[in-house]
Amino acid sequence: MAETQLDDVRKVFTEDDGNEIVAVNDVSIDIEDGEFLVLVGPSGCGKSTTLRMIAGLESITDGEIRLDDRVINDLPAKERNIAMVFQSYALYPHMTVRENMAFGLEESTDLSDDEIATRVEETAEMMGIDPLLDRKPEELSGGQQQRVALGRAIVREPAVFLMDEPLSNLDAKLRAQMRTELQQLQEQLETTTVYVTHDQTEAMTMGDRIAILNDGELQQVGTPLECYHEPANAFVADFIGEPAMNFFDVTRRNADGDGAVLVGETLEYAVSNDITTAIGDRNELVLGVRPEDIDIQHSDGNPRRADGHTVPATVTVVEPTGDENIVYLDLGEDGSETAIVTIDGMSRIEAGDSVVAHIPEDAIHVFDGKTNEALHNRRVESSEPRAPNI
Amino acid sequence: MTDGGTTEERSTLRRWLDSDIVQSSPFWLPPFLLMGFFVYAAIGWNLLLSLTEYSGFGDPDYSNLGLHNYRAMLDDPGMWAATRNTFVLLVGFTVVCLIVGLLLALLLDREIRFSRSFRTIYLLPFALSFIVTAQFWRWMYNVNNGIVNQFIGLFGIGPYNWLGSPKLVLGSVIFALVWQFSGYTMIIYLAALRSIPNDQYEAARVDGASTVRMYWRVIVPQLRPAMVSATVTLVLFALKAFDFLYATFDGYRPRRGADILATKMVRESFGRSEWAYGSSIALMLFVLSLGVIAPYLYNQYKRGNL
């Protein structure tokens, strides 16, 4: 149990030819005691490097990492009281499960052999791996190995758990199951956990908070719903959510009365005053809207009143997933822009249909076209269930 | 119906000709015959010779076979000395080579793993022929002006007659052989080390192991298969150290204290024309080699690697 603080942590790798690569760029995160923090981002964003710096496997170029107010920058891994679960599990192949689990306690504590044996057996029982204790890793299935790797970390009773994509080698079903189990385990143990993944579903479902990294820079730290509904920038908006948010490059045109019109290739979208205030005098903008926030309606049905929030579209592909359909649209008359919409799984809509897409104003996000920074986010309180889309 | 039996015979022949073993024989039969004749038949003939009293010129007499050569071995003090020396060479050379090779491999592996540069300098001695190394070490060990004596002379020790003194000669030979072979052992270990993922090192470090403990408990145990195969090769080389000794001592009469079974075998046969006695020594050597290789093959067989 410990509070962990990353303070302007920086990692620079120097290549053989003297080139410097900034892998982690002044990242600051305060991880509370007992918190489950997920570090998420695309490959090469520096999330694993950050984790490895906390573990002591990678030196810290600049900045400080503190564990309960103690700077651990130069402490060897042994003295950090941290346990790590590796993506490959990294079980020692020549040792039995029991020996694998005891190894960390033997190396990092002064416990007697009896105490170690007791703790290993207790943890194994809790994890349900006690029948496997005398087997070697090669005799275990992937799921069992994963469990042993977790057990090996838990038995140490560390201050912080570090997990580097621990579920990525499991099949989809087992992964979903382990996701829940890991969360329950973490709640039960109340141990601070830093979890690295590139899978935004894992990040959304598991984390108390998630920290999104891109190109070594921290984009946003927040609860999953904050990051989903109030992304700090277009990157976060794009990364969190599946299917991803729709983006349209637009410019601003002042309307006759109040508000303004955001003009894109196929879109002419009227926005009200509070949004124009948020936009200020910026002209290059990006309009974003989540797939589930767009309504579509057959164009031959009851025509929706033209409120400046609709655009004609053609359905190109429909992917049914059961509970919902993912619909791909070509927008405008010439279909030069595309959008993805998710609608109820029972709706009848087919490829080739002509539809009208309605983008409600309270669901839109507006980003600065140059800095990608969020200027306006959707209103969260208005997200009560709406009428079926069609 | 009268020729039913013939049909049956023909179909049996047909079936026999169609069987996998006959159909595949062009592939396995030639090497099988060559190996059988030149290796296994030769071993068999050698066994037969060792039971005769064949010596000098003439032909062996196969009518009176017996174990007298083996009995003679028991009474031959030279035989005991050679066997003892063979074992000392075998064990000393193998163990030292394994340890030196392991240390070199671990050092070099850290270098490669952590800074990505590579040196082949350690393997160079292995590329040299025995004849070259032998000549080279003869100069090194020279009593009057060899580098070894010059060097220890700086500390006021020596000079020693490294290759002349019966007490020192075997150690000197082992040292030279270790110099030549530890590079090979290192390469075997290095290959095994390269196949251990970085995760293993990192997991051990996060688990709190110091560098020495990490190697001792996590990395070195994983080198066991490499160690086994290196040991087998080294032991076989040690049993055949003949050419090194031949080159070092200008023939198959090594100094007292450095005679091994291989040199004695050749000396008895081709020096003294005691063909039968030489054959029985050869068979001893064969049994020893088998004693080394059989457990290894059995182990491989059990693991399904054969």
Side-chain angles (χ1 to χ4, degrees):
Chain A
M1 325 244 151
E3 190 181 356
T4 312
Q5 290 168 313
L6 277 67
D7 198 353
D8 281 335
V9 172
R10 188 182 179 81
K11 176 71 192 181
V12 181
F13 288 107
T14 309
E15 282 187 323
D16 291 342
D17 55 7
N19 263 358
E20 290 200 337
I21 295 171
V22 181
V24 176
N25 196 353
D26 297 342
V27 167
S28 301
I29 310 174
D30 281 1
I31 307 161
E32 283 163 32
D33 187 9
E35 187 176 7
F36 196 119
L37 180 96
V38 178
L39 283 176
V40 68
S43 316
C45 71
K47 54 189 192 297
S48 285
T49 310
T50 309
L51 192 79
R52 292 164 55 81
M53 284 193 287
I54 303 175
L57 295 172
E58 210 76 71
S59 64
I60 299 160
T61 313
D62 217 347
E64 271 184 2
I65 295 182
R66 289 188 295 270
L67 204 73
D68 276 338
D69 294 326
R70 191 166 62 128
V71 178
I72 58 168
N73 281 28
D74 298 318
L75 279 188
K78 179 178 181 163
E79 285 162 41
R80 294 188 184 206
N81 196 15
I82 276 172
M84 186 159 167
V85 179
F86 291 81
Q87 181 176 5
S88 64
Y89 314 140
L91 298 174
Y92 311 124
H94 57 291
M95 298 186 195
T96 61
V97 169
R98 189 190 301 278
E99 287 164 341
N100 263 286
M101 289 175 72
F103 183 80
L105 289 175
E106 287 164 2
E107 293 297 329
S108 63
T109 66
D110 299 326
L111 294 177
S112 72
D113 289 355
D114 286 344
E115 284 169 296
I116 290 176
T118 318
R119 254 166 83 168
V120 166
E121 267 162 41
E122 280 170 7
T123 310
E125 215 165 297
M126 183 183 82
M127 298 290 297
I129 49 175
D130 42 324
L132 310 176
L133 277 175
D134 292 312
R135 296 213 209 148
K136 293 256 177 86
E138 60 178 14
E139 297 164 325
L140 305 179
S141 70
Q144 288 171 328
Q145 289 186 17
Q146 212 278 333
R147 228 166 242 276
V148 173
L150 269 179
R152 185 171 73 171
I154 288 169
V155 76
R156 300 250 326 266
E157 296 178 7
V160 181
F161 281 131
L162 303 178
M163 306 200 181
D164 191 1
E165 311 211 8
L167 304 183
S168 60
N169 287 347
L170 301 178
D171 62 65
K173 201 161 185 182
L174 201 53
R175 185 160 43 207
Q177 186 192 329
M178 284 307 291
R179 219 154 56 195
T180 324
E181 233 171 90
L182 251 178
Q183 265 176 292
Q184 285 169 347
L185 209 59
Q186 198 267 342
E187 263 164 44
Q188 188 187 333
L189 298 168
E190 294 179 331
T191 307
T192 313
T193 304
V194 183
Y195 186 104
V196 161
T197 182
H198 62 267
D199 180 351
Q200 59 95 21
T201 320
E202 262 174 40
M204 290 290 290
T205 53
M206 299 180 78
D208 292 329
R209 283 193 305 158
I210 57 185
I212 298 132
L213 281 122
N214 186 34
D215 278 343
E217 303 206 16
L218 186 64
Q219 307 290 316
Q220 186 170 5
V221 187
T223 66
L225 289 182
E226 270 168 21
C227 296
Y228 188 78
H229 292 301
E230 293 162 30
N233 55 38
F235 176 82
V236 175
D238 185 37
F239 192 79
I240 302 291
E242 173 71 35
M245 185 184 274
N246 295 293
F247 293 102
F248 307 100
D249 291 330
V250 292
T251 51
R252 171 204 176 136
R253 192 180 71 201
N254 283 328
D256 303 334
D258 281 350
V261 177
L262 303 180
V263 184
E265 229 172 302
T266 54
L267 221 55
E268 287 209 10
Y269 195 88
V271 288
S272 57
N273 255 341
D274 48 341
I275 295 181
T276 45
T277 319
I279 293 170
D281 55 0
R282 296 175 183 85
N283 197 33
E284 272 180 53
L285 302 163
V286 176
L287 176 73
V289 60
R290 296 241 173 241
E292 67 272 22
D293 290 328
I294 304 179
D295 296 339
I296 52 178
Q297 199 168 50
H298 279 119
S299 25
D300 50 357
N302 317 316
R304 198 184 274 276
R305 65 193 162 82
D307 58 356
H309 294 159
T310 56
V311 57
T314 315
V315 176
T316 53
V317 178
V318 179
E319 290 176 350
T321 62
D323 59 333
E324 60 178 25
N325 286 330
I326 302 171
V327 180
Y328 293 77
L329 299 179
D330 277 349
L331 297 186
E333 306 299 335
D334 53 353
S336 54
E337 277 185 303
T338 59
I340 301 175
V341 181
T342 53
I343 58 169
D344 189 79
M346 304 300 277
S347 341
R348 272 195 215 102
I349 201 140
E350 282 169 20
D353 288 358
S354 290
V355 294
V356 174
H358 174 244
I359 303 169
E361 195 183 349
D362 59 8
I364 64 163
H365 301 257
V366 182
F367 304 96
D368 188 318
K370 283 180 190 144
T371 63
N372 280 333
E373 217 177 303
L375 302 172
H376 167 82
N377 279 324
R378 63 161 307 159
R379 291 224 302 278
V380 180
E381 59 275 15
S382 71
S383 59
E384 70 253 328
R386 280 170 285 120
N389 300 30
I390 274 195
Chain B
M1 293 305 282
T2 45
D3 59 359
T6 330
T7 319
E8 199 146 287
E9 261 169 47
R10 194 175 293 153
S11 76
T12 314
L13 181 69
R14 188 77 252 157
R15 228 177 309 152
W16 183 74
L17 282 175
D18 281 344
S19 66
D20 282 349
I21 199 151
V22 175
Q23 294 272 311
S24 61
S25 60
F27 300 97
W28 58 262
L29 195 59
F32 187 83
L33 289 177
L34 287 171
M35 280 292 283
F37 183 73
F38 287 108
V39 177
Y40 297 99
I43 292 172
W45 190 32
N46 184 77
L47 171 67
L48 204 60
L49 276 181
S50 75
L51 299 175
T52 65
E53 288 173 21
Y54 184 30
S55 76
F57 299 108
D59 290 316
D61 170 19
Y62 295 112
S63 59
N64 184 20
L65 300 179
L67 292 172
H68 45 271
N69 280 320
Y70 297 95
R71 242 176 269 123
M73 265 186 211
L74 295 175
D75 300 330
D76 181 354
M79 189 63 202
W80 284 107
T83 312
R84 202 206 61 201
N85 289 342
T86 305
F87 269 105
V88 171
L89 182 74
L90 206 87
V91 175
F93 162 71
T94 309
V95 170
V96 178
C97 245
L98 286 174
I99 293 170
V100 173
L102 179 64
L103 292 178
L104 288 177
L106 292 179
L107 290 173
L108 208 58
D109 181 58
R110 286 186 74 78
E111 175 81 1
I112 298 168
R113 203 176 277 273
F114 301 111
S115 79
R116 292 172 197 285
S117 62
F118 182 64
R119 311 195 193 304
T120 48
I121 191 162
Y122 299 100
L123 191 60
L124 209 58
F126 188 63
L128 297 176
S129 107
F130 263 151
I131 311 300
V132 177
T133 16
Q135 187 59 47
F136 165 79
W137 280 100
R138 273 174 72 169
W139 291 332
M140 297 278 285
Y141 283 140
N142 188 294
V143 185
N144 302 316
N145 48 21
I147 288 179
V148 179
N149 277 338
Q150 299 271 337
F151 178 73
I152 62 170
L154 292 178
F155 305 98
I157 312 167
Y160 291 110
N161 190 354
W162 297 105
L163 293 176
S165 151
K167 282 207 178 99
L168 292 177
V169 62
L170 197 57
S172 306
V173 167
I174 290 176
F175 187 87
L177 286 171
V178 166
W179 175 82
Q180 180 157 22
F181 279 91
S182 43
Y184 163 77
T185 329
M186 177 200 76
I187 290 293
I188 303 273
Y189 278 131
L190 210 52
L193 278 169
R194 306 293 295 143
S195 70
I196 299 176
N198 274 337
D199 284 357
Q200 295 279 323
Y201 293 77
E202 294 181 344
R205 267 173 64 195
V206 174
D207 268 344
S210 63
T211 304
V212 175
R213 301 275 300 165
M214 172 182 80
Y215 276 108
W216 181 245
R217 293 198 60 192
V218 176
I219 304 305
V220 173
Q222 295 190 44
L223 300 177
R224 221 183 72 98
M227 198 190 78
V228 172
S229 65
T231 306
V232 170
T233 320
L234 289 175
V235 167
L236 292 181
F237 267 117
L239 283 172
K240 300 190 300 181
F242 173 81
D243 29 4
F244 184 82
L245 292 172
Y246 188 92
T248 311
F249 300 106
D250 269 343
Y252 36 75
R253 285 171 213 284
R255 302 285 191 287
R256 215 155 57 77
D259 197 18
I260 62 171
L261 285 174
T263 43
K264 184 164 172 67
M265 167 186 80
V266 177
R267 197 169 59 245
E268 292 292 346
S269 310
F270 301 99
R272 300 179 50 212
S273 296
E274 292 289 348
W275 308 108
Y277 194 49
S279 297
S280 56
I281 298 173
L283 209 81
M284 276 276 292
L285 206 50
F286 172 69
V287 170
L288 279 177
S289 310
L290 214 59
V292 172
I293 217 167
Y296 173 70
L297 289 181
Y298 180 67
N299 186 280
Q300 293 283 305
Y301 172 73
K302 254 189 12 195
R303 288 160 172 258
N305 290 346
L306 276 189

